[in-house]
Amino acid sequence: MPEQLEAIVEETVFRNEENGYSVIEVRTGRSSITAVGILPALAAGEQVILTGQYVEHPQYGKQWKVESCEICKPSTLLGIERYLGSGLIRGVGPATAKLIVQQFGKRTLDIMSETPERLTEVPGIGKKRAAQLGQAFLEQYAAREAMVFLQSYGVSPSLAVKISKRYGPQAQQKIRENPYRLIDDIEGVGFLTADRIALTLGIARDSEYRLQSGLKYVLMEAATGEGHTYLPKEMLISHAAQALRVNPGLLTHPLDALLFSRDIVSFDIDGMEAMMLSAYYYAEKETAHYLKLLLNRSKEKQDPTAEKRIRQFEQEHNIAFSENQRRAVSQALQTGLMVITGGPGTGKTTIINCILSLLKGKVLLAAPTGRAAKRMSEATGHEAKTLHRLLEFSGDEGLFQRNEENPLDCDCVIVDEMSMVDVFLMRSLLRALRSGTKLILVGDADQLPSVGAGNVLGDILKSQRVPTVRLTDIFRQAQESLIVLNAHRINHGEAPVLNQKNSDFFFERKQTADQVSETIVSLCSTRLPAFLKSEDRLRDIQVLSPQKKAGAGVHQLNQMLQAALNPPAPFKKEITYGDTIFRTGDKVMHIKNNYQLPWTMDNGEEGVGVFNGDVGFIMKVDTQDRIVTVKYDDERTVEYDYQQLEEMELAYCLSVHKSQGSEFPCVVMPVLPGPPRLCTRNLFYTALTRAKRLVVLVGREESIAAMVQNRQILRRYTTLQQRLEEE
């Protein structure tokens, strides 16, 4: 339990002005103590109440770890003089502080905040300087008061620093007027935080600000949590009323106001009234527009040499295409926009290689994630980039250097793992294609849809407007793999074949979550590395779980696997953030798009932007400056300061959703009873198709059967299909 420490600040040893992280020396009684945490700027002599607890630092010994700080006004003449003369107030040094305190005594701080013009009574201070000193004092005092004010409402110190820097001296005033402005103005502040502050401040539950913010919050949650780009009006009203705990009738006027301001757009779809945040409305509308332009411009052109060139490729590579595969290659050569879709083993990569060898002109390859791009490069022998790097992401949120005014310099773009591409990324890609550029989209329609909003590949396929080839025949080599055969069996609602001799697909029967977890740890730490003859068990073996918080879920398995695969050691430095220990050598994943985070590569290349799903390893932990250095799979190196660690989590075990676009030599998966909305057939299918050499399932056979039979696919409310179908 946190305790309180009343102390007087002696000195600031270290302070990071960007995030407020400070190391200070304080005196309590006769003892001198080191306190660390995110704090407002503090001056020597100030009296503070520090809420927190003692921790033992491996290098610096016993420290007071601060969770929140309350500043008490200096009450003694010496304390006031030390505070003013500390350098904290711009333009006031020790000599000036002494003169001011001699003039005004214990009323000094009141004079400076309420009647700073009286500073002219101090020898050597004129009107202009008095005004400047008064302004500097107010700015500093307001910033500190704002931090204390925000922390008292449960805002984290790091977020309080960000808010205080954004609003300056007016922070408290602006927040008291309308706390919901934080949602739009400050990245990292959501509706729940703003609402907690608002209700504590006494803002009414039926306030117009609150109701409008609540409606937008529900739509945003639907987009980021479930992938919806719109909600039916009745569903929006119902969910918002429940979230806000108000009568649904109170939401009519706020919704009308949002429609009038175009924050929300209304339209009819499938005979019902739909509500959509304007950003998503224009993203889907533009995506459909650009796809139609591509279709209109790209009339099929017969290539009389195509058949001959395809046969030549077959001979050179000793393969025989099926009729469907040959049609996919031929169509790619003749049309300007097409989709190639199919499950594992159906030859998508071989077809891409054939297209690359036959296409004339410059072809660019891309995929949504670093892992998928790396895999595409390895499979084709051609450089593949993430879509963000291909489009030359510049660092401003959502801004790419490649666009209508500066299109990609190429004749064709091939994008793999299209099921992962959300509507915003798709729009950005389409904006960057110049007239006449081919676009070939490759993906598995039966995998989970994108983590981001929209259902781009699914909607394109359902619209039947874009030329599409579905690959169903399994390559002869792939027929030897039970991973491939079982993936297709599961996709057709058939039970997988388990524990066939000399196969690549195994099942271990365990009944309880604890037994499953212990078995998975044993498999990953000793048994599978020996079986695979693996030299890098952290890269070669990936645990995937359908659930996050349950037994044998992502959180529990990450802690157990970290303890087994990367235990503490004297030479490994570590840092604790929340409930997670980050240690040198840990496998980690970035979990939130950060468009401003800088990275470097070994070749000297620099850039910004680290994205949801990027996986890497902790190379270094600086416990003094609290900086964690991570190297990602695509060789980018990123430094995280302490507050940015909220964007990272352990990755020994991943959720199936987070594994999309990746491929691992070996996949281990717990199979236990769970919520039907999570334990679905297409989630199971997606997990298995991440494995290249080996799959090991641990748990209950009846849970496997339940997933295979569970065809529940949560509907995504999106408009791209309908927009493409419109003439």
Side-chain angles (χ1 to χ4, degrees), residues 612-641:
N612 190 356
D614 288 346
V615 173
F617 289 86
I618 295 178
M619 309 303 291
K620 180 182 175 184
V621 175
D622 184 333
T623 52
Q624 183 171 354
D625 291 340
R626 314 227 311 174
I627 292 173
V628 176
T629 304
V630 177
K631 192 164 192 174
Y632 285 102
D633 284 341
D634 56 5
E635 306 305 319
R636 290 172 303 152
T637 297
V638 178
E639 287 189 348
Y640 291 80
D641 64 33

PDB file of all heavy atoms in Angstrom, residues 612-641:
ATOM      1  N   ASN A 612       1.683  -0.987 -34.175  1.00  0.00           N
ATOM      2  CA  ASN A 612       1.018  -2.075 -33.472  1.00  0.00           C
ATOM      3  C   ASN A 612       1.379  -3.413 -34.115  1.00  0.00           C
ATOM      4  O   ASN A 612       1.145  -3.614 -35.295  1.00  0.00           O
ATOM      5  CB  ASN A 612      -0.500  -1.830 -33.556  1.00  0.00           C
ATOM      6  CG  ASN A 612      -1.279  -2.766 -32.667  1.00  0.00           C
ATOM      7  OD1 ASN A 612      -0.724  -3.647 -32.032  1.00  0.00           O
ATOM      8  ND2 ASN A 612      -2.584  -2.581 -32.615  1.00  0.00           N
ATOM      9  N   GLY A 613       1.963  -4.329 -33.328  1.00  0.00           N
ATOM     10  CA  GLY A 613       2.291  -5.654 -33.844  1.00  0.00           C
ATOM     11  C   GLY A 613       3.758  -5.866 -34.142  1.00  0.00           C
ATOM     12  O   GLY A 613       4.179  -7.003 -34.380  1.00  0.00           O
ATOM     13  N   ASP A 614       4.577  -4.817 -34.112  1.00  0.00           N
ATOM     14  CA  ASP A 614       6.014  -4.981 -34.340  1.00  0.00           C
ATOM     15  C   ASP A 614       6.617  -5.769 -33.170  1.00  0.00           C
ATOM     16  O   ASP A 614       6.375  -5.456 -32.004  1.00  0.00           O
ATOM     17  CB  ASP A 614       6.710  -3.621 -34.451  1.00  0.00           C
ATOM     18  CG  ASP A 614       6.384  -2.902 -35.758  1.00  0.00           C
ATOM     19  OD1 ASP A 614       5.845  -3.560 -36.667  1.00  0.00           O
ATOM     20  OD2 ASP A 614       6.674  -1.700 -35.874  1.00  0.00           O
ATOM     21  N   VAL A 615       7.432  -6.801 -33.490  1.00  0.00           N
ATOM     22  CA  VAL A 615       8.021  -7.670 -32.472  1.00  0.00           C
ATOM     23  C   VAL A 615       9.538  -7.540 -32.504  1.00  0.00           C
ATOM     24  O   VAL A 615      10.145  -7.491 -33.575  1.00  0.00           O
ATOM     25  CB  VAL A 615       7.622  -9.147 -32.683  1.00  0.00           C
ATOM     26  CG1 VAL A 615       8.364 -10.071 -31.726  1.00  0.00           C
ATOM     27  CG2 VAL A 615       6.116  -9.318 -32.505  1.00  0.00           C
ATOM     28  N   GLY A 616      10.159  -7.466 -31.333  1.00  0.00           N
ATOM     29  CA  GLY A 616      11.611  -7.358 -31.263  1.00  0.00           C
ATOM     30  C   GLY A 616      12.140  -7.859 -29.936  1.00  0.00           C
ATOM     31  O   GLY A 616      11.427  -8.521 -29.164  1.00  0.00           O
ATOM     32  N   PHE A 617      13.400  -7.515 -29.635  1.00  0.00           N
ATOM     33  CA  PHE A 617      14.053  -7.972 -28.411  1.00  0.00           C
ATOM     34  C   PHE A 617      14.704  -6.790 -27.702  1.00  0.00           C
ATOM     35  O   PHE A 617      15.243  -5.890 -28.344  1.00  0.00           O
ATOM     36  CB  PHE A 617      15.107  -9.030 -28.729  1.00  0.00           C
ATOM     37  CG  PHE A 617      14.517 -10.341 -29.161  1.00  0.00           C
ATOM     38  CD1 PHE A 617      14.174 -10.570 -30.488  1.00  0.00           C
ATOM     39  CD2 PHE A 617      14.273 -11.343 -28.235  1.00  0.00           C
ATOM     40  CE1 PHE A 617      13.615 -11.765 -30.888  1.00  0.00           C
ATOM     41  CE2 PHE A 617      13.707 -12.545 -28.622  1.00  0.00           C
ATOM     42  CZ  PHE A 617      13.376 -12.761 -29.951  1.00  0.00           C
ATOM     43  N   ILE A 618      14.652  -6.812 -26.375  1.00  0.00           N
ATOM     44  CA  ILE A 618      15.290  -5.763 -25.581  1.00  0.00           C
ATOM     45  C   ILE A 618      16.797  -5.989 -25.596  1.00  0.00           C
ATOM     46  O   ILE A 618      17.291  -7.030 -25.143  1.00  0.00           O
ATOM     47  CB  ILE A 618      14.760  -5.753 -24.135  1.00  0.00           C
ATOM     48  CG1 ILE A 618      13.267  -5.370 -24.122  1.00  0.00           C
ATOM     49  CG2 ILE A 618      15.564  -4.787 -23.265  1.00  0.00           C
ATOM     50  CD1 ILE A 618      12.636  -5.376 -22.742  1.00  0.00           C
ATOM     51  N   MET A 619      17.520  -5.000 -26.125  1.00  0.00           N
ATOM     52  CA  MET A 619      18.974  -5.100 -26.233  1.00  0.00           C
ATOM     53  C   MET A 619      19.676  -4.490 -25.021  1.00  0.00           C
ATOM     54  O   MET A 619      20.771  -4.901 -24.651  1.00  0.00           O
ATOM     55  CB  MET A 619      19.461  -4.388 -27.506  1.00  0.00           C
ATOM     56  CG  MET A 619      18.727  -4.797 -28.772  1.00  0.00           C
ATOM     57  SD  MET A 619      18.816  -6.574 -29.070  1.00  0.00           S
ATOM     58  CE  MET A 619      20.545  -6.756 -29.468  1.00  0.00           C
ATOM     59  N   LYS A 620      19.024  -3.486 -24.410  1.00  0.00           N
ATOM     60  CA  LYS A 620      19.686  -2.760 -23.325  1.00  0.00           C
ATOM     61  C   LYS A 620      18.641  -2.121 -22.426  1.00  0.00           C
ATOM     62  O   LYS A 620      17.627  -1.624 -22.911  1.00  0.00           O
ATOM     63  CB  LYS A 620      20.614  -1.687 -23.924  1.00  0.00           C
ATOM     64  CG  LYS A 620      21.363  -0.846 -22.908  1.00  0.00           C
ATOM     65  CD  LYS A 620      22.207   0.219 -23.623  1.00  0.00           C
ATOM     66  CE  LYS A 620      22.874   1.162 -22.653  1.00  0.00           C
ATOM     67  NZ  LYS A 620      23.609   2.247 -23.341  1.00  0.00           N
ATOM     68  N   VAL A 621      18.899  -2.111 -21.117  1.00  0.00           N
ATOM     69  CA  VAL A 621      18.068  -1.405 -20.147  1.00  0.00           C
ATOM     70  C   VAL A 621      18.970  -0.454 -19.363  1.00  0.00           C
ATOM     71  O   VAL A 621      19.910  -0.899 -18.689  1.00  0.00           O
ATOM     72  CB  VAL A 621      17.352  -2.375 -19.185  1.00  0.00           C
ATOM     73  CG1 VAL A 621      16.600  -1.599 -18.118  1.00  0.00           C
ATOM     74  CG2 VAL A 621      16.402  -3.294 -19.952  1.00  0.00           C
ATOM     75  N   ASP A 622      18.695   0.832 -19.496  1.00  0.00           N
ATOM     76  CA  ASP A 622      19.435   1.851 -18.732  1.00  0.00           C
ATOM     77  C   ASP A 622      18.593   2.194 -17.504  1.00  0.00           C
ATOM     78  O   ASP A 622      17.597   2.908 -17.605  1.00  0.00           O
ATOM     79  CB  ASP A 622      19.661   3.090 -19.606  1.00  0.00           C
ATOM     80  CG  ASP A 622      20.500   4.157 -18.910  1.00  0.00           C
ATOM     81  OD1 ASP A 622      20.486   4.198 -17.673  1.00  0.00           O
ATOM     82  OD2 ASP A 622      21.139   4.960 -19.611  1.00  0.00           O
ATOM     83  N   THR A 623      18.984   1.650 -16.356  1.00  0.00           N
ATOM     84  CA  THR A 623      18.166   1.828 -15.150  1.00  0.00           C
ATOM     85  C   THR A 623      18.283   3.236 -14.575  1.00  0.00           C
ATOM     86  O   THR A 623      17.387   3.687 -13.866  1.00  0.00           O
ATOM     87  CB  THR A 623      18.568   0.802 -14.070  1.00  0.00           C
ATOM     88  OG1 THR A 623      19.982   0.867 -13.871  1.00  0.00           O
ATOM     89  CG2 THR A 623      18.193  -0.608 -14.500  1.00  0.00           C
ATOM     90  N   GLN A 624      19.384   3.933 -14.885  1.00  0.00           N
ATOM     91  CA  GLN A 624      19.548   5.281 -14.340  1.00  0.00           C
ATOM     92  C   GLN A 624      18.650   6.281 -15.071  1.00  0.00           C
ATOM     93  O   GLN A 624      17.881   7.019 -14.452  1.00  0.00           O
ATOM     94  CB  GLN A 624      21.006   5.731 -14.437  1.00  0.00           C
ATOM     95  CG  GLN A 624      21.236   7.110 -13.820  1.00  0.00           C
ATOM     96  CD  GLN A 624      22.708   7.460 -13.720  1.00  0.00           C
ATOM     97  OE1 GLN A 624      23.579   6.658 -14.001  1.00  0.00           O
ATOM     98  NE2 GLN A 624      22.991   8.688 -13.309  1.00  0.00           N
ATOM     99  N   ASP A 625      18.730   6.301 -16.405  1.00  0.00           N
ATOM    100  CA  ASP A 625      17.898   7.217 -17.192  1.00  0.00           C
ATOM    101  C   ASP A 625      16.552   6.598 -17.551  1.00  0.00           C
ATOM    102  O   ASP A 625      15.734   7.231 -18.208  1.00  0.00           O
ATOM    103  CB  ASP A 625      18.634   7.641 -18.469  1.00  0.00           C
ATOM    104  CG  ASP A 625      19.816   8.538 -18.177  1.00  0.00           C
ATOM    105  OD1 ASP A 625      19.834   9.121 -17.078  1.00  0.00           O
ATOM    106  OD2 ASP A 625      20.727   8.629 -19.012  1.00  0.00           O
ATOM    107  N   ARG A 626      16.361   5.315 -17.167  1.00  0.00           N
ATOM    108  CA  ARG A 626      15.094   4.602 -17.394  1.00  0.00           C
ATOM    109  C   ARG A 626      14.758   4.581 -18.878  1.00  0.00           C
ATOM    110  O   ARG A 626      13.685   4.980 -19.302  1.00  0.00           O
ATOM    111  CB  ARG A 626      13.974   5.246 -16.578  1.00  0.00           C
ATOM    112  CG  ARG A 626      14.431   5.505 -15.143  1.00  0.00           C
ATOM    113  CD  ARG A 626      13.557   5.108 -14.070  1.00  0.00           C
ATOM    114  NE  ARG A 626      12.179   5.461 -14.063  1.00  0.00           N
ATOM    115  CZ  ARG A 626      11.328   5.005 -13.138  1.00  0.00           C
ATOM    116  NH1 ARG A 626      11.753   4.198 -12.203  1.00  0.00           N
ATOM    117  NH2 ARG A 626      10.071   5.358 -13.133  1.00  0.00           N
ATOM    118  N   ILE A 627      15.706   4.104 -19.661  1.00  0.00           N
ATOM    119  CA  ILE A 627      15.531   3.980 -21.111  1.00  0.00           C
ATOM    120  C   ILE A 627      15.717   2.516 -21.499  1.00  0.00           C
ATOM    121  O   ILE A 627      16.665   1.853 -21.060  1.00  0.00           O
ATOM    122  CB  ILE A 627      16.532   4.865 -21.875  1.00  0.00           C
ATOM    123  CG1 ILE A 627      16.205   6.348 -21.639  1.00  0.00           C
ATOM    124  CG2 ILE A 627      16.525   4.554 -23.367  1.00  0.00           C
ATOM    125  CD1 ILE A 627      17.215   7.313 -22.195  1.00  0.00           C
ATOM    126  N   VAL A 628      14.791   2.000 -22.313  1.00  0.00           N
ATOM    127  CA  VAL A 628      14.846   0.614 -22.783  1.00  0.00           C
ATOM    128  C   VAL A 628      15.071   0.630 -24.297  1.00  0.00           C
ATOM    129  O   VAL A 628      14.332   1.288 -25.028  1.00  0.00           O
ATOM    130  CB  VAL A 628      13.540  -0.140 -22.442  1.00  0.00           C
ATOM    131  CG1 VAL A 628      13.567  -1.548 -23.027  1.00  0.00           C
ATOM    132  CG2 VAL A 628      13.332  -0.187 -20.934  1.00  0.00           C
ATOM    133  N   THR A 629      16.103  -0.078 -24.757  1.00  0.00           N
ATOM    134  CA  THR A 629      16.437  -0.125 -26.182  1.00  0.00           C
ATOM    135  C   THR A 629      15.974  -1.449 -26.768  1.00  0.00           C
ATOM    136  O   THR A 629      16.328  -2.522 -26.265  1.00  0.00           O
ATOM    137  CB  THR A 629      17.950   0.041 -26.395  1.00  0.00           C
ATOM    138  OG1 THR A 629      18.378   1.264 -25.779  1.00  0.00           O
ATOM    139  CG2 THR A 629      18.286   0.090 -27.884  1.00  0.00           C
ATOM    140  N   VAL A 630      15.182  -1.373 -27.851  1.00  0.00           N
ATOM    141  CA  VAL A 630      14.611  -2.565 -28.491  1.00  0.00           C
ATOM    142  C   VAL A 630      15.058  -2.621 -29.949  1.00  0.00           C
ATOM    143  O   VAL A 630      15.051  -1.596 -30.644  1.00  0.00           O
ATOM    144  CB  VAL A 630      13.067  -2.539 -28.434  1.00  0.00           C
ATOM    145  CG1 VAL A 630      12.473  -3.738 -29.176  1.00  0.00           C
ATOM    146  CG2 VAL A 630      12.588  -2.523 -26.989  1.00  0.00           C
ATOM    147  N   LYS A 631      15.438  -3.815 -30.397  1.00  0.00           N
ATOM    148  CA  LYS A 631      15.747  -4.025 -31.824  1.00  0.00           C
ATOM    149  C   LYS A 631      14.647  -4.891 -32.423  1.00  0.00           C
ATOM    150  O   LYS A 631      14.398  -6.007 -31.954  1.00  0.00           O
ATOM    151  CB  LYS A 631      17.104  -4.690 -32.003  1.00  0.00           C
ATOM    152  CG  LYS A 631      17.582  -4.663 -33.453  1.00  0.00           C
ATOM    153  CD  LYS A 631      19.061  -4.973 -33.544  1.00  0.00           C
ATOM    154  CE  LYS A 631      19.584  -4.664 -34.941  1.00  0.00           C
ATOM    155  NZ  LYS A 631      21.049  -4.831 -35.013  1.00  0.00           N
ATOM    156  N   TYR A 632      13.979  -4.356 -33.447  1.00  0.00           N
ATOM    157  CA  TYR A 632      12.857  -5.062 -34.062  1.00  0.00           C
ATOM    158  C   TYR A 632      13.320  -5.982 -35.191  1.00  0.00           C
ATOM    159  O   TYR A 632      14.464  -5.892 -35.652  1.00  0.00           O
ATOM    160  CB  TYR A 632      11.806  -4.060 -34.545  1.00  0.00           C
ATOM    161  CG  TYR A 632      11.012  -3.488 -33.391  1.00  0.00           C
ATOM    162  CD1 TYR A 632      11.271  -2.225 -32.881  1.00  0.00           C
ATOM    163  CD2 TYR A 632      10.039  -4.257 -32.764  1.00  0.00           C
ATOM    164  CE1 TYR A 632      10.570  -1.732 -31.791  1.00  0.00           C
ATOM    165  CE2 TYR A 632       9.330  -3.785 -31.680  1.00  0.00           C
ATOM    166  CZ  TYR A 632       9.598  -2.523 -31.194  1.00  0.00           C
ATOM    167  OH  TYR A 632       8.907  -2.058 -30.109  1.00  0.00           O
ATOM    168  N   ASP A 633      12.418  -6.861 -35.625  1.00  0.00           N
ATOM    169  CA  ASP A 633      12.759  -7.881 -36.613  1.00  0.00           C
ATOM    170  C   ASP A 633      13.272  -7.304 -37.929  1.00  0.00           C
ATOM    171  O   ASP A 633      14.014  -7.962 -38.646  1.00  0.00           O
ATOM    172  CB  ASP A 633      11.536  -8.768 -36.898  1.00  0.00           C
ATOM    173  CG  ASP A 633      11.286  -9.751 -35.771  1.00  0.00           C
ATOM    174  OD1 ASP A 633      12.221  -9.994 -34.990  1.00  0.00           O
ATOM    175  OD2 ASP A 633      10.165 -10.266 -35.666  1.00  0.00           O
ATOM    176  N   ASP A 634      12.838  -6.093 -38.273  1.00  0.00           N
ATOM    177  CA  ASP A 634      13.315  -5.494 -39.522  1.00  0.00           C
ATOM    178  C   ASP A 634      14.554  -4.632 -39.292  1.00  0.00           C
ATOM    179  O   ASP A 634      14.864  -3.756 -40.100  1.00  0.00           O
ATOM    180  CB  ASP A 634      12.202  -4.672 -40.182  1.00  0.00           C
ATOM    181  CG  ASP A 634      11.638  -3.605 -39.256  1.00  0.00           C
ATOM    182  OD1 ASP A 634      12.170  -3.448 -38.139  1.00  0.00           O
ATOM    183  OD2 ASP A 634      10.667  -2.933 -39.643  1.00  0.00           O
ATOM    184  N   GLU A 635      15.261  -4.906 -38.176  1.00  0.00           N
ATOM    185  CA  GLU A 635      16.556  -4.279 -37.863  1.00  0.00           C
ATOM    186  C   GLU A 635      16.452  -2.830 -37.382  1.00  0.00           C
ATOM    187  O   GLU A 635      17.462  -2.151 -37.245  1.00  0.00           O
ATOM    188  CB  GLU A 635      17.522  -4.351 -39.072  1.00  0.00           C
ATOM    189  CG  GLU A 635      17.727  -5.758 -39.624  1.00  0.00           C
ATOM    190  CD  GLU A 635      18.195  -6.745 -38.558  1.00  0.00           C
ATOM    191  OE1 GLU A 635      19.042  -6.373 -37.741  1.00  0.00           O
ATOM    192  OE2 GLU A 635      17.685  -7.876 -38.534  1.00  0.00           O
ATOM    193  N   ARG A 636      15.254  -2.305 -37.142  1.00  0.00           N
ATOM    194  CA  ARG A 636      15.135  -0.963 -36.570  1.00  0.00           C
ATOM    195  C   ARG A 636      15.414  -1.027 -35.070  1.00  0.00           C
ATOM    196  O   ARG A 636      14.936  -1.925 -34.392  1.00  0.00           O
ATOM    197  CB  ARG A 636      13.729  -0.389 -36.801  1.00  0.00           C
ATOM    198  CG  ARG A 636      13.406  -0.045 -38.235  1.00  0.00           C
ATOM    199  CD  ARG A 636      11.939   0.328 -38.377  1.00  0.00           C
ATOM    200  NE  ARG A 636      11.073  -0.746 -37.903  1.00  0.00           N
ATOM    201  CZ  ARG A 636       9.868  -0.577 -37.406  1.00  0.00           C
ATOM    202  NH1 ARG A 636       9.354   0.633 -37.310  1.00  0.00           N
ATOM    203  NH2 ARG A 636       9.137  -1.604 -37.008  1.00  0.00           N
ATOM    204  N   THR A 637      16.177  -0.050 -34.577  1.00  0.00           N
ATOM    205  CA  THR A 637      16.458   0.061 -33.150  1.00  0.00           C
ATOM    206  C   THR A 637      15.724   1.278 -32.598  1.00  0.00           C
ATOM    207  O   THR A 637      15.796   2.366 -33.167  1.00  0.00           O
ATOM    208  CB  THR A 637      17.965   0.197 -32.900  1.00  0.00           C
ATOM    209  OG1 THR A 637      18.620  -0.994 -33.368  1.00  0.00           O
ATOM    210  CG2 THR A 637      18.250   0.352 -31.409  1.00  0.00           C
ATOM    211  N   VAL A 638      14.999   1.074 -31.491  1.00  0.00           N
ATOM    212  CA  VAL A 638      14.147   2.123 -30.916  1.00  0.00           C
ATOM    213  C   VAL A 638      14.473   2.272 -29.434  1.00  0.00           C
ATOM    214  O   VAL A 638      14.647   1.271 -28.727  1.00  0.00           O
ATOM    215  CB  VAL A 638      12.652   1.770 -31.084  1.00  0.00           C
ATOM    216  CG1 VAL A 638      11.766   2.834 -30.448  1.00  0.00           C
ATOM    217  CG2 VAL A 638      12.305   1.597 -32.553  1.00  0.00           C
ATOM    218  N   GLU A 639      14.548   3.515 -28.960  1.00  0.00           N
ATOM    219  CA  GLU A 639      14.732   3.784 -27.538  1.00  0.00           C
ATOM    220  C   GLU A 639      13.415   4.254 -26.930  1.00  0.00           C
ATOM    221  O   GLU A 639      12.789   5.181 -27.442  1.00  0.00           O
ATOM    222  CB  GLU A 639      15.813   4.855 -27.322  1.00  0.00           C
ATOM    223  CG  GLU A 639      17.219   4.355 -27.584  1.00  0.00           C
ATOM    224  CD  GLU A 639      18.273   5.355 -27.152  1.00  0.00           C
ATOM    225  OE1 GLU A 639      17.911   6.519 -26.853  1.00  0.00           O
ATOM    226  OE2 GLU A 639      19.463   4.981 -27.110  1.00  0.00           O
ATOM    227  N   TYR A 640      13.003   3.610 -25.833  1.00  0.00           N
ATOM    228  CA  TYR A 640      11.779   3.969 -25.118  1.00  0.00           C
ATOM    229  C   TYR A 640      12.154   4.620 -23.793  1.00  0.00           C
ATOM    230  O   TYR A 640      12.935   4.043 -23.027  1.00  0.00           O
ATOM    231  CB  TYR A 640      10.955   2.720 -24.796  1.00  0.00           C
ATOM    232  CG  TYR A 640      10.342   2.028 -25.985  1.00  0.00           C
ATOM    233  CD1 TYR A 640      11.102   1.176 -26.786  1.00  0.00           C
ATOM    234  CD2 TYR A 640       9.000   2.202 -26.303  1.00  0.00           C
ATOM    235  CE1 TYR A 640      10.538   0.525 -27.872  1.00  0.00           C
ATOM    236  CE2 TYR A 640       8.427   1.556 -27.379  1.00  0.00           C
ATOM    237  CZ  TYR A 640       9.204   0.720 -28.163  1.00  0.00           C
ATOM    238  OH  TYR A 640       8.637   0.084 -29.243  1.00  0.00           O
ATOM    239  N   ASP A 641      11.594   5.810 -23.517  1.00  0.00           N
ATOM    240  CA  ASP A 641      11.748   6.312 -22.164  1.00  0.00           C
ATOM    241  C   ASP A 641      10.651   5.678 -21.296  1.00  0.00           C
ATOM    242  O   ASP A 641       9.784   4.962 -21.793  1.00  0.00           O
ATOM    243  CB  ASP A 641      11.734   7.846 -22.105  1.00  0.00           C
ATOM    244  CG  ASP A 641      10.412   8.462 -22.545  1.00  0.00           C
ATOM    245  OD1 ASP A 641       9.362   7.837 -22.308  1.00  0.00           O
ATOM    246  OD2 ASP A 641      10.430   9.564 -23.119  1.00  0.00           O
TER     247      ASP A 641
END
